[in-house]
């Protein structure tokens, strides 16, 4: 399945590839997806098209962070998982474990994986209970009862048949079922009883021929569980007989005779003992039979699976507007029912989902179709000559029959069938040129494909960028969007070595952006082409594809561009923060050039929990604030890293915000009375009712609050009051009318001034957006800040009756709205500099595995990378240590290579983006107190701290001015020649 040169060289999977198999009258579509964290997007695209999942866990390394990610993806997509414990042979050959020690290790791994699934079940249980309590009494759907049945037992149980033990390298694998059926006749017991006894604390008493517990063995210290005695010990004996020089060859003959294995004598007489072992084991316990039989018995078929997954694939829409065409609704409901039933009849609407586009060389396409016609004669998607790439859609049919040459509608995720002509840009009509069954690297052309199958479609290269829904009718809701576990954080700027190749590079970037579901290609403000990838390995593969497949030009790649955030130093006391924000004279004041508008800005740092919720919920906030809900409530999908299944996204988001605030209050009020906590809650309620805007880009983690207008308006100036738009959208306040504005204006007698204040509200918001998008330290976005902007407008000093005077003033100072915008931006940036600014950097969670003798070099590498070690623990039954640490993203480049170099390849590291963390160092630190001067000197020769070095590096890259000495070590020039 791993046919790419890069996959062969690195010995890892990088692309999801599918193969259609036939097993005992069953058709099985098997998708091989990568396990590396850099390619977790491929797991997301494969999970959307699947009914079940085979989760592989290394028997030596155990559960790692990518195991958590894969299980979470399977849970989100409502897949039925099976567990495969691979590399059992390493327990025998490398670790030299005894069968009893191996049994304990396998039990612990199964228990850990069940613990992960149990956490997801309990999370769903709590969310279901909350939805039941929030909803009307008596409305309990079927989905609310699922958790009761699911939580009765562990997800993975070998005795149920959904756990397999395997060695893919030697080609063997087994589940407990095979051994239970074999020993049933020998021990005179039923296979059902043996299934329960072969896993767990069950023992076989040879005297009484009974299966008993530990107490029934009479206290014998040599008693072994039945899994060890009847399963693991025969495996150990076969390996020792085959691989050890003095092994008993009679054991192999006994196995061959007992199971009637037909092995050619030539293979048994092979000089290589490993080849003899593989010949025996692959015929005794064939891996393919074990895995495929487990798939057939335990994983659901498409009909059963789609009825379970329908709430995830096509969530129900709650309509909130009247006057909707009932014909559209009835046909959309018919489509949903046909997807739920996985209807394969040609009469029902044909629905398919494309999870990604992938590129294949045009010469690899089959030259002839099923009827002998030229398959490549139609319009090509990728180019005009033979060496160009052709884009195929990786899709699954969910209902109906898809035929070659059929015309279908391509629906984007924003399509709404109820809006008619207003969403025409989100729907296209396309003709399918060819359909192919994927056979690993090969493609087999087919005329039609029924529901439940996975297929490659040619002809959609010009219509789909990443993913889309295919439908034979326009009256269909698009499938819900896929959820990716991480975001592309590693960015580099690329340019061609020869500027004449710029056109080829831009074409190659367009092709790469379409071929990779996770890569992001953008143009920076400086005009650079920026490529964003998930990690170093992913980036290397993207650059290789650009050079060799898509652009075919030589490239210059910049050092990684690391993203930072900017914030201020936070105070621990919430009440002090609110007092500073609501009634303090500690503000920054700026005025517009013409002097008509005075801006006062106050700033406060938000709690980290609230900032995290705002950042993770940016997609949901965009739908709510941007008014995308229209006729329907936008169904809440998995938000960030929490699993929330609630039809009302606004209520779900409000709950998350309130929970974040409550957790911050409880963490700060550990030793303080309840009155303090109640005061904080009251202040937070007032805070949430004053949210004017979020920034940057309308959905960021920074908040603009409306000013407190009480007593702020004077006879000569008017305060721009703003309106709590975001608070109204989120339901914290009712939609208020502006009727009091006119009465207030008439009492003062300056109606025109009030109208001007209302018109300038958008300028204040725009200035806030500009400020939060580029902070004062190094033009990076701000993080977790709340601003109160008070803008006072004064009337003109002289009545401008003559238009010439007005025109002259406009030419001198610029447009007034622009002046206000620039003044708000400068005031917000100055207020941040006034409040002890800090740099925020992204952090990786790093999981390292290393032998005991290499702990020292590993810690040395971590120290050089500014890593913070969280914990270390020794893996039971092995000489390996597992170390958890946080590593800054800016220090992670080349980390894995340096770690392997210093530990002679014995250590391995896994990195996944964790969180944002503020650097505690002051970038503008100057010694002031006697103690600081004694420790650091008078400040003239202090080297810059880490925060200042990072800021200066970003400023240099962006072309911003940097305060630094041009000459570091000046010496007097002298000549070496001696002149007389």
């Amino acid at each position: 399945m791993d046919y790419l040169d890069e996959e062969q060289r690195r010995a890892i999977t990088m692309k999801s590839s599918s193969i259609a198999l036939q097993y005992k009258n069953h058709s099985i579509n098997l998708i091989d997806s990568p396990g590396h964290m850099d390619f977790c997007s491929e797991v997301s695209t494969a999970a959307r098209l699947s009914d079940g999942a085979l989760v592989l866990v290394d028997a030596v390394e155990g559960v790692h962070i990518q195991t958590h990610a894969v299980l979470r993806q399977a849970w989100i997509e409502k897949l039925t998982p099976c567990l495969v414990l691979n590399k059992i042979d390493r327990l025998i050959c490398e670790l030299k474990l005894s069968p009893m020690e191996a049994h304990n290790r396998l039990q612990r791994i199964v228990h850990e994986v069940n613990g992960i699934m149990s956490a997801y079940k309990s999370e769903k249980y709590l969310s279901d209970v909350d939805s039941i309590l929030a909803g009307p009494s008596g409305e309990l759907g079927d989905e609310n009862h699922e958790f009761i049945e699911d939580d009765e037992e562990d997800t993975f149980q070998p005795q149920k048949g959904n756990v397999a033990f395997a060695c893919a390298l030697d080609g063997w694998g087994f589940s407990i079922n095979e051994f239970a059926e074999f020993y049933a006749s020998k021990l005179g017991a039923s296979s059902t009883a043996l299934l329960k006894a072969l896993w767990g604390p069950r023992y076989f008493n040879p005297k009484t021929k009974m299966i008993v517990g530990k107490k029934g063995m009479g206290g014998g210290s040599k008693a072994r569980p039945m899994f060890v005695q009847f399963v693991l010990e025969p495996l150990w004996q076969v390996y020792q007989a085959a691989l050890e020089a003095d092994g008993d060859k009679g054991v192999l003959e006994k196995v061959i005779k007992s199971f009637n294995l037909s092995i050619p004598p030539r293979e048994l007489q092979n000089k290589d003992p490993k080849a003899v072992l593989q010949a025996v084991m692959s015929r005794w316990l064939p891996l393919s039979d074990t895995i495929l039989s487990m798939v057939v018995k335990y994983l659901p078929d498409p009909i059963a699976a789609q009825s379970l997954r329908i709430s995830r694939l096509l969530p129900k829409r709650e309509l909130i507007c009247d006057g909707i065409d009932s014909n559209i609704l009835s046909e959309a409901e018919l489509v949903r029912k046909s997807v739920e039933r996985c209807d394969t009849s040609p009469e029902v609407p044909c629905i398919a989902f494309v999870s990604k586009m992938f590129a294949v060389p045009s010469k690899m396409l089959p030259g002839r179709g099923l009827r002998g016609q030229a398959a490549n004669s139609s319009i090509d998607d990728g180019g005009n000559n033979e060496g160009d790439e052709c884009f195929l859609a990786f899709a699954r049919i969910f209902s109906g029959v898809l035929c070659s040459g059929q015309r279908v509608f391509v629906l984007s995720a924003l399509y709404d069938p109820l809006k008619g002509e207003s969403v025409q840009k989100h729907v296209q009509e396309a003709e399918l040129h060819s359909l192919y069954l994927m056979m690993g690297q090969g493609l087999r052309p087919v005329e039609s494909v029924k529901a439940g199958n996975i297929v490659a479609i040619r002809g959609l290269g010009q219509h789909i960028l990443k993913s889309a829904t295919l439908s034979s009718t326009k009256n269909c809701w698009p499938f819900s969007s896929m959820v990716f576990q991480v975001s592309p954080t590693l960015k580099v700027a690329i340019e061609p070595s020869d500027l004449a190749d710029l056109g080829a590079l831009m074409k190659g970037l367009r092709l790469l952006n379409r071929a990779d579901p996770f890569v992001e290609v953008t143009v920076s403000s400086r005009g650079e082409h920026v490529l964003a990838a998930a990690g170093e390995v992913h980036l290397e593969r993207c650059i290789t594809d650009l050079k060799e497949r898509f652009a075919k030009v030589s490239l210059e790649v910049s050092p990684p561009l690391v993203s930072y955030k900017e914030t201020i130093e936070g105070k621990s006391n919430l009440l002090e923060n609110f007092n500073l924000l609501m009634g303090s004279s500690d503000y920054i004041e700026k005025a517009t050039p013409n002097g008509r508008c005075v801006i006062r800005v106050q700033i406060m740092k938000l709690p980290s929990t609230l900032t995290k919720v705002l950042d993770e919920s940016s997609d949901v906030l965009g739908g709510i604030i941007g008014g995308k809900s229209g006729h329907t409530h936008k169904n809440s999908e998995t938000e960030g890293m929490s699993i929330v299944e609630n039809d009302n996204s606004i209520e779900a988001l409000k709950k998350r915000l309130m929970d974040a605030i409550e957790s911050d209050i409880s963490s700060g009020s550990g030793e303080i009375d309840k009155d303090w906590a109640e005061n904080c809650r009251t202040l937070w309620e007032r805070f949430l009712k004053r949210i004017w805007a979020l920034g940057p880009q309308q959905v960021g983690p920074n908040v603009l609050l409306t000013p407190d207008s009480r007593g702020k308006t004077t006879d000569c100036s008017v305060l721009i009051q703003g309106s709590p738009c975001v608070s109204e959208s989120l339901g914290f306040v009712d939609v208020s009318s502006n009727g009091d504005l006119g009465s207030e204006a008439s009492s003062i007698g300056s109606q025109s001034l009030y109208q001007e204040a209302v018109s300038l509200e958008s300028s204040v918001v725009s200035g806030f957006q500009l400020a939060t998008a580029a902070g004062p330290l190094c033009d990076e976005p701000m993080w977790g800040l709340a601003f109160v902007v008070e803008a006072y407008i004064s009337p003109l000093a002289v009545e401008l009756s003559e238009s010439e005077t007005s025109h002259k003033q406009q030419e001198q100072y610029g447009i007034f709205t622009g002046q206000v915008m620039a003044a708000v931006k400068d005031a917000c940036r100055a207020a941040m500099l006034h409040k002890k600014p800090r740099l925020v950097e992204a952090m990786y969670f790093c999981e390292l595995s290393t032998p005991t003798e290499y702990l020292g070099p590993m810690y040395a590498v971590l120290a050089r990378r500014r890593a913070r070690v969280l914990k270390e623990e020794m893996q039971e039954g092995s000489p390996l240590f597992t170390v958890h640490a946080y590593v800054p993203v800016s220090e992670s480049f080349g980390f894995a290579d340096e770690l392997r170099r210093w530990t002679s390849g014995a250590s391995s590291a896994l990195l996944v983006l964790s969180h944002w963390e503020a650097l505690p160092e002051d970038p503008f630190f100057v010694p002031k107190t006697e103690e600081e001067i004694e420790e650091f000197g008078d400040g003239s020769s202090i080297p810059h701290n880490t925060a200042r070095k990072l800021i200066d590096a970003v400023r240099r890259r962006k072309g911003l001015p940097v305060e630094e000495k041009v000459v570091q070590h000046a010496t007097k020039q002298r000549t070496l020649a001696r002149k007389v």
Side-chain angles (χ1 to χ4, degrees), residues 913-927:
L913 189 65
S914 175
H915 64 285
W916 292 87
E917 186 174 301
L919 278 169
E921 301 171 341
D922 184 1
F924 307 108
F925 171 72
V926 175

Side-chain angles (χ1 to χ4, degrees), residues 602-916:
Q602 295 171 303
I603 188 173
M604 179 189 88
K605 185 175 181 181
L606 296 176
S608 58
T609 53
L610 183 60
T611 304
K612 184 178 179 182
V613 170
L614 290 174
D615 183 54
E616 291 176 351
S617 307
S618 58
D619 292 339
V620 180
L621 283 168
I624 296 172
I625 299 172
K628 295 179 183 177
S629 47
H631 293 285
T632 63
H633 285 303
K634 183 175 178 181
N635 285 278
S636 177
E637 299 173 8
T638 305
E639 301 165 8
M641 295 304 291
S642 71
I643 300 173
V644 180
E645 294 180 2
N646 197 327
D647 289 337
N648 195 332
S649 58
I650 297 178
E651 291 299 324
L653 182 57
K654 280 180 63 177
K655 182 179 182 302
R656 293 189 67 197
L657 292 172
M658 297 306 298
D659 289 345
I661 292 171
E662 192 63 35
S663 66
D664 185 71
I665 293 175
S666 59
S667 63
S669 61
E671 301 178 356
I672 306 177
D673 54 58
K674 295 181 179 179
D675 294 337
W676 183 91
E678 194 61 36
N679 289 338
C680 286
R681 290 189 187 92
T682 305
L683 290 172
W684 272 117
E685 289 178 3
R686 293 170 56 190
F687 176 94
L688 293 174
K689 292 179 180 179
R690 291 173 52 190
I691 303 178
W692 186 355
L694 301 176
Q697 299 178 358
Q698 309 291 338
V699 292
N702 303 288
V703 177
L704 174 64
L705 301 177
T706 56
D708 189 0
S709 59
R710 289 173 296 181
K712 295 292 180 70
T713 302
T714 62
D715 293 337
C716 59
S717 63
V718 173
L719 174 67
I720 300 178
Q721 297 182 0
S723 60
C725 308
V726 177
S727 297
E728 292 174 0
S729 300
L730 294 177
F732 288 111
V733 293
D734 297 330
V735 179
S736 58
S737 61
N738 295 328
D740 57 338
L741 188 64
S743 61
E744 200 173 336
S746 61
S747 64
I748 298 175
S750 55
Q751 181 74 28
S752 61
L753 196 60
Y754 270 90
Q755 290 177 352
E756 188 177 15
V758 173
S759 66
L760 288 173
E761 289 181 3
S762 61
S763 299
V764 174
V765 174
S766 298
F768 164 76
Q769 299 291 346
L770 291 173
T772 53
L777 296 181
C778 50
D779 273 8
E780 292 291 323
M782 295 185 186
W783 176 260
L785 300 179
F787 293 89
V788 174
V789 178
E790 298 177 357
Y792 296 92
I793 303 178
S794 303
L796 292 172
V798 182
E799 287 294 331
L800 296 178
S801 57
E802 301 179 4
S803 60
E804 295 180 1
T805 310
S806 172
H807 184 66
K808 183 177 178 181
Q809 218 181 37
Q810 185 171 343
E811 282 186 350
Q812 181 180 359
Y813 298 114
I815 301 174
F816 187 43
T817 55
Q819 295 180 47
V820 174
M821 194 184 306
V824 171
K825 173 188 171 184
D826 294 341
C828 290
R829 289 164 63 106
M832 181 180 168
L833 285 175
H834 183 64
K835 286 284 190 178
K836 298 181 181 178
R838 295 290 184 267
L839 193 68
V840 184
E841 61 180 352
M843 303 292 285
Y844 276 132
F845 175 78
C846 179
E847 186 176 71
L848 302 105
S849 180
T850 184
T852 310
E853 59 269 21
Y854 290 107
L855 277 176
M858 184 203 67
Y859 278 120
V861 174
L862 290 176
R864 281 193 293 273
R865 301 280 177 161
R866 294 195 293 116
R868 187 171 81 251
V869 177
L870 301 177
K871 71 170 184 176
E872 68 167 36
E873 58 183 4
M874 190 170 186
Q875 297 180 10
E876 295 182 19
S878 72
L880 298 177
F881 270 83
T882 298
V883 178
H884 292 171
Y886 285 138
V887 179
V889 171
S890 58
E891 303 288 344
S892 66
F893 310 115
F895 172 71
D897 292 337
E898 184 183 5
L899 184 67
R900 283 192 294 266
R901 188 169 64 250
W902 279 81
T903 61
S904 303
S907 298
S908 62
L910 297 169
L911 298 172
V912 61
L913 189 65
S914 175
H915 64 285
W916 292 87

Side-chain angles (χ1 to χ4, degrees), residues 207-492:
K207 296 180 181 179
T208 60
K209 305 290 184 182
M210 297 282 289
I211 299 173
V212 296
K214 182 71 173 176
K215 296 180 180 179
M217 294 302 293
S221 60
K222 295 183 179 181
R224 309 178 310 280
M226 291 185 65
F227 184 75
V228 174
Q229 182 178 356
F230 293 105
V231 179
L232 295 185
E233 287 184 356
L235 290 177
W236 260 244
Q237 292 169 8
V238 170
Y239 264 80
Q240 291 167 358
L243 300 181
E244 293 181 3
D246 56 347
D248 184 8
K249 305 301 180 184
V251 174
L252 297 178
E253 297 176 359
K254 186 177 179 181
V255 169
I256 295 171
K257 184 177 180 181
S258 300
F259 292 95
N260 296 322
L261 306 180
S262 57
I263 304 176
R266 178 172 50 84
E267 295 186 16
L268 291 175
Q269 295 168 4
N270 197 312
K271 299 294 185 182
D272 184 8
K274 192 71 172 177
V276 176
L277 176 68
Q278 290 176 354
V280 175
M281 295 298 295
S282 61
R283 287 171 174 82
W284 176 28
L285 302 169
L287 178 62
S288 58
D289 287 348
T290 300
I291 299 299
L292 295 180
S293 63
M294 181 171 67
V295 168
V296 170
K297 291 178 183 176
Y298 191 77
L299 297 186
D301 57 77
I303 299 175
Q306 288 182 201
S307 63
L308 291 172
R309 301 181 63 208
I310 188 65
S311 61
R312 169 66 188 156
L313 300 174
L314 281 171
K316 278 192 174 181
R317 313 280 173 151
E318 290 188 1
L319 303 176
I320 58 174
C321 290
D322 298 329
I324 299 172
D325 190 350
S326 59
N327 295 328
I328 297 177
L329 293 180
S330 60
E331 188 169 0
E333 186 62 25
L334 173 65
V335 169
R336 192 175 189 275
K337 292 293 184 184
S338 62
V339 171
E340 185 175 3
R341 297 193 308 266
C342 189
D343 200 331
T344 58
S345 61
E347 292 80 16
V348 300
C350 180
I351 307 296
F353 183 78
V354 176
S355 64
K356 70 170 184 173
M357 302 294 292
F358 67 100
V360 296
S362 298
K363 60 185 179 182
M364 287 183 59
L365 293 175
R368 295 284 170 182
L370 288 177
R371 300 171 184 171
Q373 74 275 18
N376 292 337
S377 60
S378 58
I379 299 173
D380 200 350
D381 304 294
N384 298 323
N385 55 50
E386 188 180 354
D388 286 333
E389 303 287 333
C390 179
F391 282 90
L392 303 179
F394 196 75
R396 167 170 173 165
I397 319 300
F398 283 92
S399 77
V401 179
L402 198 66
C403 302
S404 179
Q406 180 178 350
R407 297 193 68 84
V408 296
F409 294 103
V410 181
L411 315 178
S412 74
L414 300 178
Y415 177 71
D416 188 341
L418 302 176
K419 292 185 178 179
E421 297 296 328
S422 61
V423 291
Q424 285 301 313
K425 62 181 179 179
H426 299 307
V427 58
Q428 306 174 61
E429 191 173 5
E431 182 180 351
L432 310 181
H433 296 165
S434 308
L435 302 179
Y436 302 101
L437 279 183
M438 289 174 281
M439 307 297 294
Q441 184 179 6
L443 298 168
R444 179 184 298 174
V446 292
E447 283 296 322
S448 62
V449 182
K450 290 186 176 182
N453 286 292
I454 292 174
V455 65
I457 306 173
R458 184 181 177 205
L460 299 173
Q462 302 300 324
H463 302 279
I464 299 177
L465 180 62
K466 301 283 188 181
S467 62
T469 304
L470 305 182
S471 173
S472 58
T473 173
K474 277 188 177 182
N475 300 329
C476 167
W477 295 103
F479 276 44
S480 60
S481 301
M482 292 182 293
V483 175
F484 295 109
Q485 297 284 328
V486 297
S487 58
T489 54
L490 182 57
K491 301 178 182 179
V492 293

